[in-house]
Amino acid sequence: MHVRRLTSTDAMAYAKRLRHRPFLALLDSAMKHPMLGRYSVVTCDPFGLFQVQDGRAFWNGAAVEGDPLSVLRKLLALYPQDTREDLPPFQGGAVGFITYEFGSVLEEVPRLRDGDDPPQLQLGFYDVAIAVDHVQGRAWLISTGWPEQDEAERSDRARSRADQFETWLGSPDRVPAPHEARPCDGGFLWHSNFDPGSYRAAVRQVTEYILAGDIFQANIAQRFRASCPAAFDPLAFYERLRAVNAAPFAAFLDCDGFAITSSSPERFLSAKGGRVEARPIKGTAPRSRDPAEDARALHALLASEKDRAENVMIVDLLRNDMSRVCRPHSVEVPVLCGAESYASVHHLVSAVTGVLAPGKDAIHLLAACFPGGSVTGAPKVRAMQIIAEIERAARGVYCGAIGYIGFDGTMDTNIAIRTVTFQGGQATIHSGGGVTLLSDPEAEYQETLTKVQRIFAAFEAVPGERTA
């Protein structure tokens, strides 16, 4: 491994310098926090691409036989790497996304399709990364030398690739034309696959399933879609999004034909040194500019029987999922229904931790817990079946995960909420909420609008009445 110190800690500036390199990825602690928002990663130009399409694994476009996650484990094992404790946790590895529909590979649930769907899973294998520590105020260029297997050749490659990245970083930005520089050029007409009445009816349908004993809760989302103006710039949009809706688990991915932006506040799973954590969010209240009203909204959220019950059910689901791969009695809940505040909402957030059992790794953890219970419901499989029946639209990256699995076995991923996908000249956003027996249909509908309002603000659009 070859490591160089960098002078700037501006992850967004690095991403803009590398924007024309293939498969740019920015894992962005746009909302900085000493624990949850400490690190950012910028990388590009992977030496390999792992994808899952229709349940089949592909490596650099060639089909590979076997269970997709087992194939992924074998590929990562080709590039073993020890962790350097003096550096940020990502030191080279696989970065990308897992769609919600990957759940149909793991469980007996319907897979919905939505035209030109993205791969169910896509991870670039990156040998070079820029890692930023916002607490220390330091940044490093880390070059691993992979995929060279000979030690001397790997050392040579590590240095030459570091030189290459420094050349790219030192090149002046291409100055966009004025219309390119704007993230949005004109208004956006958003359409939803639900109108207000049909969404309220969907909430009532879920409560009927709860009364029938099928589930305890389910997360129901509506999908918003709009056409993008010509020359729309997803990276410029992301820069605006991170300014108006900063989040600790934000991301931008350029995926060769489509792009993903996320301002997620929610960690799905992290793993390092055998210790694992999930931080499910359940319970939301809109914020107010009036400090007194804002405080009352937070107090009401903390006192809400419905929101607390919703959170506790998902905590129990995660405890069960994590216990499948963790040491007996190691799964704990150090935080239950704690409060976290973001630009437009307050959330109830819990933390579930554990220690991986011998022979288990981050990929076993992913298989045991995906998709996250906070975006499905409980019991998970039946909730996912009901979601497919009611939503009738593929979620894509929304409610999947974005993040990394390092060559050293570390992992950190978000729950891909507050996420926009740009493909085929269209922007797609989903927003949903957990439905329990105590849910009020109108309140649930309004919650979906509250969660998405900052994303619409980044588009410089104010949503009005939705049309199907």
Side-chain angles (χ1 to χ4, degrees):
M1 181 187 295
H2 181 71
V3 179
R4 299 177 185 177
R5 280 285 303 274
L6 299 173
T7 56
S8 171
T9 59
D10 188 341
M12 189 69 218
Y14 287 128
K16 290 162 72 174
R17 286 293 177 97
L18 297 174
R19 64 174 300 155
H20 299 297
R21 308 310 308 173
F23 292 97
L24 171 67
L26 167 60
L27 305 181
D28 187 19
S29 291
M31 178 179 170
K32 297 174 179 57
H33 183 279
M35 291 178 57
L36 303 179
R38 178 172 178 174
Y39 303 106
S40 292
V41 173
V42 187
T43 187
C44 64
D45 198 29
F47 65 82
L49 186 67
F50 177 75
Q51 295 174 310
V52 177
Q53 302 185 54
D54 296 323
R56 297 190 65 194
F58 292 82
W59 175 243
N60 289 332
V64 183
E65 294 303 317
D67 165 67
L69 291 183
S70 296
V71 173
L72 175 59
R73 179 180 290 107
K74 291 176 182 177
L75 287 170
L76 287 168
L78 295 175
Y79 314 107
Q81 191 166 290
D82 292 332
T83 302
R84 275 189 51 172
E85 297 297 336
D86 60 324
L87 296 174
F90 182 77
Q91 300 166 20
V95 178
F97 66 84
I98 310 171
T99 68
Y100 176 83
E101 280 68 43
F102 186 72
S104 66
V105 177
L106 303 174
E107 304 286 359
E108 292 294 326
V109 296
R111 180 191 173 189
L112 299 180
R113 298 178 184 273
D114 191 21
D116 191 15
D117 294 327
Q120 291 167 299
L121 182 155
Q122 180 167 297
L123 295 168
F125 277 46
Y126 294 88
D127 58 308
V128 182
I130 297 165
V132 178
D133 184 332
H134 298 292
V135 169
Q136 291 189 11
R138 296 180 180 181
W140 296 263
L141 179 64
I142 302 169
S143 183
T144 67
W146 296 117
E148 295 292 349
Q149 295 294 320
D150 178 82
E151 187 173 344
E153 292 176 355
R154 188 162 65 250
S155 178
D156 289 344
R157 176 180 167 86
R159 289 181 178 276
S160 66
R161 286 283 280 169
D163 290 342
Q164 186 176 48
F165 267 69
E166 286 204 325
T167 298
W168 291 339
L169 292 173
S171 300
D173 293 337
R174 182 182 71 85
V175 179
H179 70 282
E180 290 182 274
R182 297 183 63 191
C184 36
D185 184 12
F188 283 76
L189 180 61
W190 294 97
H191 300 274
S192 173
N193 60 335
F194 286 94
D195 60 33
S198 63
Y199 190 88
R200 290 191 288 264
V203 173
R204 289 190 289 268
Q205 187 176 353
V206 171
T207 60
E208 290 172 4
Y209 276 117
I210 295 171
L211 289 169
D214 283 53
I215 54 172
F216 298 108
Q217 67 168 296
N219 190 92
I220 301 300
Q222 57 175 320
R223 181 193 67 197
F224 303 96
R225 184 167 282 172
S227 295
C228 294
F232 182 87
D233 184 350
L235 184 59
F237 166 79
Y238 174 70
E239 187 173 18
R240 183 173 180 81
L241 177 64
R242 75 194 292 270
V244 302
N245 197 54
F249 300 104
F252 175 85
L253 300 177
D254 183 343
C255 302
D256 188 27
F258 63 100
I260 300 163
T261 67
S262 180
S263 56
S264 174
E266 182 171 358
R267 168 177 279 159
F268 176 31
L269 295 168
S270 68
K272 183 178 180 182
R275 302 197 65 85
V276 301
E277 181 187 57
R279 296 185 64 85
I281 289 176
K282 274 296 172 191
T284 302
R287 300 204 63 177
S288 171
R289 293 183 179 180
D290 176 8
E293 181 59 34
D294 193 55
R296 283 192 291 269
L298 177 58
H299 177 76
L301 178 63
L302 288 167
S304 168
E305 180 184 1
K306 180 262 183 185
D307 290 303
R308 187 177 181 87
E310 192 178 343
N311 194 295
V312 169
M313 280 188 277
I314 298 306
V315 166
D316 282 342
L317 188 156
L318 266 167
R319 288 172 63 244
N320 289 335
D321 283 349
M322 291 171 64
S323 292
R324 295 160 61 186
V325 294
C326 286
R327 293 178 182 270
H329 314 299
S330 72
V331 177
E332 299 177 340
V333 185
V335 179
L336 183 63
C337 297
E340 291 184 3
S341 299
Y342 297 89
S344 62
V345 295
H346 300 293
H347 280 310
L348 292 185
V349 185
S350 295
V352 186
T353 62
V355 179
L356 289 173
K360 300 299 183 181
D361 58 22
I363 296 176
H364 289 112
L365 178 69
L366 191 66
C369 299
F370 189 86
S374 64
V375 290
T376 59
K380 183 186 290 185
V381 172
R382 184 66 183 117
M384 292 173 71
Q385 293 167 349
I386 291 169
I387 288 167
E389 173 191 335
I390 292 175
E391 292 185 6
R392 302 186 302 280
R395 289 181 167 185
V397 179
Y398 172 72
C399 289
I402 300 170
Y404 68 79
I405 305 174
F407 291 138
D408 60 355
T410 60
M411 180 174 73
D412 205 357
T413 57
N414 75 5
I415 293 280
I417 53 176
R418 318 290 197 272
T419 295
V420 189
T421 300
F422 298 94
Q423 186 172 19
Q426 290 190 314
T428 301
I429 313 167
H430 293 74
S431 182
V435 179
T436 71
L437 193 59
L438 298 176
S439 289
D440 172 71
E442 178 58 26
E444 295 294 345
Y445 176 73
Q446 291 300 323
E447 181 177 318
T448 67
L449 301 185
T450 296
K451 289 176 176 177
V452 82
Q453 67 176 348
R454 284 282 172 154
I455 300 178
F456 283 118
F459 279 100
E460 297 182 345
V462 179
E465 189 74 2
R466 301 292 173 264
T467 56

